[in-house]
Amino acid sequence: MYTQHGFYEDALMVFSELRSCYYKLCCLDSPKILQHPCRIVQKCTSSGQSDTHPSIFLKSASNICYKEEEEGPNEFVLASVVSCCGRLGSVVKGAQLHCFVVKAGFDQFVYVGTSLIDFYSKSGDVGAARQVFDDLLVKSTTTWTAIIVACVNAGESELSLKLLRNLLESDIVPDNYVVSSILGACSSLEFLEGGKEIHAYVHRRGAEMDVTVNNVLIDFYMKCGKFKTARAVFDQMGVKNTISWTTMISGYMQNSCDWEAISMFRDMNSLGWMLDGFACSSVLISCGSLEALDLGRQVHAYTVKTDVDSDGFVKNSLIDMYSKCDSFGDARKVFDFMVNHDVISYNAIIEGGLTQDRLYEAFDLFAEMRENLILPSLLTFVSLLGASASLFSLELSKQLHGLTVKFGFSADMFVCSILIDVYSKCSSIKDARQVFIEMNEKDIVVWNSMLFGYIQQCENEEALKLFLKLQYCSQKPNYLTFVAFIAASCNLVSLLHGLQFHNQIVKVGLDFDPHVTNALVDMYSKCGGLEEARRMFNSTLQRDIACWNAMISTYAQHGEAKEALSMFEKMINDGLKPNNVTFVGVLSACSHVGLVKEGLHHFYSMSGYGIEPETEHYVCMVSLLGRAGKLVEAMQFIEKMPIPPGAIVWRSLLSACREAGHIDLGEYAASMAISIDAKDSGSYILLSNIYASKGMWSNVKKLREKMDINGVVKETGCSWIEINNEVHLFIARDRSHHQTDLIYSFMELLIRHMKWIGYVPEDTTFSNE
């Protein structure tokens, strides 16, 4: 293969030149050493020539293969020279040597073939290594080890497992190094059964496993989530080293067994083992996850005592721990005392600032990072884009988008998914769509981001259109995809679309997913399908708190207060703890039918479940008292609120005053609501309707003039109807529909018919449409 590329003659020339200048350039030992070429190679390596003078080393290593009375090298020396090329990373010279090996007939010598496999492995060319391996007629244990390790190091884990099976079918017994390498491959694939088979094979052959194999076994089981099995292997080990303990601690941390990691840390310390920086970093991460600040401080003190606090990983873990434990000041101190900051330390402190809602400080740190000429990573932009979405800052989001392009992250699907979400939250669905369109490759996460972006901006029709495009691509929808489509159907109050998506969900087998079930219950409820919602709830095998809340809210919205309260009692009896959403549904149910006593009981029982009432709960209670005609009590209830009442609370009282026709209290509630939210038209409309119901038209006129002066515009109402799979949208005084003339003529016919039977229209309500 290599001779076709002109390397053959070059190889001979190199060997000829090296042989001629050997005695001039290298005098390393006595002539006797020439009988042991491998020792000469080792001598060259230990003398540092392989690092400082690669060409001299190659000359020396090549020429030792010649004795004065011999004509050429033997297989042992060639194997050593090829190994030298691998260690030096000299791809060209290694390829030339391979040409010489083939020409000189050494390609079937097992030592030479094994060295060539190792050389190509170090060069990253697994295909060439596999070709050399397949061409060898005789293979030793070292040869099998070399090719298996080459596949593992190159990420070809599946291929390494196939080679192991071929090895086991031969007469060669794999050594512990092969076993360790294959277990590493099983870990990367999370191939539990394969790892178990290897574990069983080692036991069957009766060979004693050394500490290295046991450590790899622990790591394998930890990465497969079998931490109990890993602990059993650890406990059965006769000999342990620091790596054994560290692997257990980091494995517990990675499996979110944080208390176990801390306990293992204590046991290791009490037995006199010295923890390294990696073990301390793992324990600090566990302390951060548990928000155990005192334990984190103790570990910090230990790192100082054992002089591992200068380790970069330890410092970054300290920053992460203090940030998660609401001690950002300590995190900042650790960061400021660091001598050499890198992108990891900046990412840690920026993420810590964002976690503690110190958004502007996080962006200042990013600016400092750029001033120090530290290149940001993908994680940097992920964190900052999330902060930009929280600030709803479109300009900042665009600047960050520009930087992702500059630093080469704009094509990353994860970044694109976040950008779509950020632009959607910043009310720029056009930019979100543009990012989506420009992507060459899209996974289902990107599709879901675009779907939820449309739904956030009430572009439900566009979300449904996206479903048609999704069907023509190779991506398979997941549960989040269907949750988005169901939400779009729910927002459009389109039962037909909801039924179609429900049918799709059953076909793909996601009808038992709790998230999908909750969405379906909510969809049927809002589309008027109470019975369908009830059947969906009853068919659910796993009911979480969200599922119960959806059903309670469904009954409340349909005025089925007794059913809602009964559902609440069943939930309590099933052992589920209610949350704030649960009580919104319960109080809403009581409000709709005027169950004052029951509503007050449930409101004051919230503290027993550790729930502090929020604005939504106070709105329900004001509505409950107002609908029952207890306006004074409702006013007193608002005055006793421990939190400042929002505009929505006063509007709830104002709505009750409209129903009762209470002008004075209504004017006061309206003034309070307008003082909090001067641009909201709802308070003006409600007060105007109170005036109109009392015939106070001059007040109505003044209020309308005040709205004009303050620039308050009533949100235009609209309605829609679906006929023959086509949605028809109607807005007040809009004549854009293609059948407007026919619609208005039919309306006139209905009005004449209504007047003929004696209907008198109500004109006591205010309209600004």
Side-chain angles (χ1 to χ4, degrees):
M1 177 178 67
Y2 290 99
T3 56
Q4 297 174 359
H5 291 81
F7 292 131
Y8 179 72
E9 294 181 359
D10 292 340
L12 292 179
M13 185 181 299
V14 169
F15 269 83
S16 177
E17 292 176 356
L18 292 176
R19 179 173 54 187
S20 65
C21 66
Y22 168 71
Y23 290 105
K24 296 179 181 179
L25 295 176
C26 184
C27 184
L28 298 173
D29 216 325
S30 63
K32 291 183 179 181
I33 215 75
L34 294 174
Q35 300 175 5
H36 306 283
C38 292
R39 288 176 57 192
I40 293 290
V41 173
Q42 294 171 358
K43 183 72 175 180
C44 293
T45 305
S46 61
S47 67
Q49 294 185 46
S50 63
D51 294 328
T52 57
H53 304 288
S55 60
I56 295 177
F57 176 50
L58 276 176
K59 291 177 181 179
S60 305
S62 300
N63 276 283
I64 60 172
C65 61
Y66 296 99
K67 298 181 184 178
E68 292 182 3
E69 68 275 17
E70 294 179 346
E71 297 181 355
N74 60 31
E75 69 270 19
F76 303 106
V77 178
L78 275 174
S80 301
V81 175
V82 172
S83 298
C84 293
C85 292
R87 288 198 299 271
L88 292 169
S90 181
V91 179
V92 175
K93 288 185 171 59
Q96 293 170 347
L97 283 172
H98 191 179
C99 294
F100 178 81
V101 166
V102 174
K103 182 186 178 184
F106 288 101
D107 53 317
Q108 286 301 321
F109 284 81
V110 66
Y111 294 105
V112 178
T114 302
S115 295
L116 283 170
I117 292 171
D118 182 67
F119 160 72
Y120 284 119
S121 171
K122 288 183 170 64
S123 302
D125 193 348
V126 182
R130 180 67 189 274
Q131 186 65 46
V132 173
F133 176 81
D134 292 338
D135 291 342
L136 282 173
L137 299 178
V138 179
K139 304 176 179 70
S140 66
T141 303
T142 308
T143 309
W144 283 94
T145 302
I147 189 63
I148 290 174
V149 172
C151 293
V152 172
N153 293 338
E156 299 285 346
S157 301
E158 295 181 1
L159 179 59
S160 65
L161 293 175
K162 291 179 182 178
L163 288 170
L164 177 65
R165 293 187 183 278
N166 296 335
L167 171 61
L168 296 177
E169 292 172 359
S170 65
D171 296 331
I172 300 175
V173 178
D175 57 14
N176 287 336
Y177 188 59
V178 174
V179 172
S180 300
S181 300
I182 291 297
L183 282 172
C186 293
S187 297
S188 62
L189 293 172
E190 296 185 4
F191 183 30
L192 181 60
E193 295 303 321
K196 284 183 175 180
E197 290 178 9
I198 296 169
H199 192 179
Y201 167 77
V202 174
H203 278 294
R204 281 199 308 270
R205 77 179 189 182
E208 183 179 354
M209 290 189 297
D210 61 12
V211 66
T212 302
V213 175
N214 279 316
N215 291 342
V216 177
L217 269 173
I218 293 171
D219 180 67
F220 159 72
Y221 283 120
M222 282 295 188
K223 287 181 177 176
C224 291
K226 300 295 181 181
F227 48 87
K228 291 184 179 179
T229 308
R231 181 59 187 263
V233 173
F234 177 82
D235 291 338
Q236 293 171 5
M237 290 176 64
V239 178
K240 302 181 180 71
N241 59 15
T242 304
I243 298 176
S244 310
W245 288 91
T246 301
T247 306
M248 283 297 301
I249 293 172
S250 64
Y252 276 135
M253 179 271 294
Q254 292 167 3
N255 284 277
S256 300
C257 300
D258 298 305
W259 284 116
E260 288 81 355
I262 294 173
S263 177
M264 183 68 68
F265 170 81
R266 288 171 171 169
D267 293 342
M268 184 178 181
N269 187 33
S270 63
L271 292 174
W273 290 91
M274 185 66 68
L275 281 82
D276 59 8
F278 187 71
C280 292
S281 298
S282 300
V283 176
L284 286 169
I285 293 173
S286 293
C287 292
S289 300
L290 295 170
E291 297 183 8
L293 181 59
D294 291 339
L295 286 173
R297 292 187 189 279
Q298 292 176 20
V299 178
H300 189 179
Y302 177 88
T303 63
V304 175
K305 180 180 178 181
T306 55
D307 199 28
V308 296
D309 60 317
S310 59
D311 183 87
F313 290 106
V314 173
K315 286 188 177 295
N316 295 334
S317 299
L318 282 168
I319 294 171
D320 177 75
M321 182 273 296
Y322 281 124
S323 299
K324 290 180 179 177
C325 293
D326 295 332
S327 184
F328 185 75
D330 290 322
R332 189 61 193 261
K333 288 179 182 178
V334 174
F335 177 81
D336 291 338
F337 278 116
M338 292 180 68
V339 178
N340 296 317
H341 296 115
D342 57 10
V343 64
I344 298 175
S345 57
Y346 268 105
N347 285 347
I349 193 65
I350 288 173
E351 182 65 24
L354 298 176
T355 303
Q356 297 300 313
D357 292 329
R358 298 178 179 237
L359 305 183
Y360 295 101
E361 187 171 351
F363 280 103
D364 289 339
L365 285 164
F366 176 64
E368 177 186 309
M369 176 183 180
R370 296 195 63 197
E371 289 175 0
N372 293 334
L373 302 179
I374 297 176
L375 296 178
S377 66
L378 177 65
L379 181 60
T380 313
F381 288 111
V382 169
S383 302
L384 294 175
L385 283 169
S388 178
S390 301
L391 293 170
F392 303 102
S393 174
L394 180 59
E395 186 63 30
L396 179 60
S397 301
K398 287 185 175 182
Q399 292 177 12
L400 290 171
H401 188 181
L403 288 173
T404 62
V405 175
K406 178 179 179 180
F407 289 102
F409 296 113
S410 59
D412 185 89
M413 280 196 291
F414 191 54
V415 171
C416 290
S417 177
I418 295 176
L419 281 170
I420 292 170
D421 180 64
V422 169
Y423 281 130
S424 300
K425 289 179 179 178
C426 294
S427 302
S428 183
I429 197 68
K430 180 180 179 181
D431 290 314
R433 186 188 296 113
Q434 190 63 34
V435 172
F436 180 80
I437 292 172
E438 291 178 355
M439 292 182 66
N440 295 324
E441 295 182 7
K442 305 179 183 73
D443 61 6
I444 193 61
V445 177
V446 176
W447 284 88
N448 289 345
S449 297
M450 193 68 246
L451 283 169
F452 282 105
Y454 278 133
I455 293 170
Q456 287 173 7
Q457 297 303 317
C458 298
E459 298 278 354
N460 300 290
E461 293 88 351
E462 293 296 328
L464 296 180
K465 290 178 182 178
L466 201 60
F467 174 70
L468 300 176
K469 297 179 181 179
L470 178 60
Q471 288 181 312
Y472 289 105
C473 77
S474 60
Q475 293 297 326
K476 183 179 179 181
N478 60 15
Y479 76 95
L480 282 176
T481 314
F482 285 108
V483 167
F485 286 132
I486 295 169
S489 304
C490 184
N491 294 339
L492 292 171
V493 198
S494 177
L495 182 60
L496 179 61
H497 283 102
L499 289 170
Q500 291 175 349
F501 287 124
H502 191 175
N503 185 38
Q504 291 280 337
I505 288 166
V506 174
K507 284 183 178 180
V508 298
L510 291 172
D511 49 324
F512 292 108
D513 184 272
H515 301 89
V516 175
T517 302
N518 299 340
L520 284 170
V521 171
D522 186 59
M523 184 273 295
Y524 282 124
S525 169
K526 292 181 178 177
C527 292
L530 179 59
E531 289 301 321
E532 289 84 353
R534 183 185 289 114
R535 282 197 296 269
M536 193 71 239
F537 177 82
N538 292 333
S539 65
T540 305
L541 299 178
Q542 296 179 348
R543 298 170 186 160
D544 58 6
I545 186 65
C547 188
W548 285 95
N549 289 346
M551 201 61 218
I552 291 172
S553 298
T554 298
Y555 283 124
Q557 291 166 7
H558 287 79
E560 300 283 349
K562 291 184 179 180
E563 292 293 339
L565 296 178
S566 175
M567 189 66 65
F568 175 74
E569 295 297 331
K570 291 178 182 178
M571 185 189 76
I572 299 297
N573 294 334
D574 280 2
L576 272 78
K577 183 180 178 181
N579 58 18
N580 58 342
V581 179
T582 312
F583 279 101
V584 169
V586 170
L587 296 176
S588 178
C590 295
S591 174
H592 286 165
V593 296
L595 299 176
V596 177
K597 183 178 179 180
E598 291 82 352
L600 289 170
H601 166 73
H602 288 296
F603 178 80
Y604 290 113
S605 69
M606 291 174 61
S607 59
Y609 296 100
I611 302 172
E612 291 293 329
E614 299 177 0
T615 300
E616 292 83 356
H617 305 104
Y618 288 108
V619 170
C620 291
M621 291 305 299
V622 172
S623 176
L624 170 62
L625 295 171
R627 288 182 177 182
K630 300 178 180 294
L631 298 179
V632 177
E633 289 84 345
M635 182 64 193
Q636 294 173 348
F637 185 86
I638 294 175
E639 292 175 346
K640 294 179 181 179
M641 285 177 58
I643 60 176
I648 189 173
V649 177
W650 290 107
R651 280 198 299 270
S652 180
L653 178 61
L654 180 57
S655 179
C657 293
R658 175 185 177 276
E659 295 296 328
H662 200 301
I663 298 176
D664 294 337
L665 189 56
E667 288 179 333
Y668 177 73
S671 65
M672 295 300 295
I674 292 171
S675 66
I676 297 172
D677 188 0
K679 294 295 183 180
D680 180 70
S681 62
S683 302
Y684 292 94
I685 301 302
L686 288 171
L687 181 58
S688 176
N689 288 337
I690 295 176
Y691 289 147
S693 65
K694 298 297 184 180
M696 302 169 64
W697 300 109
S698 60
N699 295 70
V700 172
K701 183 180 179 181
K702 291 179 181 178
L703 191 60
R704 189 163 187 171
E705 291 173 351
K706 184 177 180 180
M707 290 178 65
D708 294 336
I709 294 172
N710 294 336
V712 179
V713 180
K714 183 183 182 296
E715 183 178 354
T716 304
C718 66
S719 59
W720 59 91
I721 187 172
E722 184 176 350
I723 302 174
N724 296 329
N725 296 330
E726 183 180 359
V727 177
H728 300 267
L729 183 67
F730 298 96
I731 301 174
R733 297 178 183 177
D734 176 34
R735 302 183 67 90
S736 62
H737 195 275
H738 63 279
Q739 291 183 311
T740 297
D741 295 336
L742 178 60
I743 294 170
Y744 274 92
S745 62
F746 190 75
M747 284 181 61
E748 290 176 2
L749 178 64
L750 289 176
I751 292 171
R752 285 199 300 269
H753 181 70
M754 292 167 63
K755 289 182 178 180
W756 181 75
I757 62 176
Y759 173 76
V760 178
E762 181 183 354
D763 59 355
T764 57
T765 57
F766 173 73
S767 175
N768 190 36
E769 296 176 346

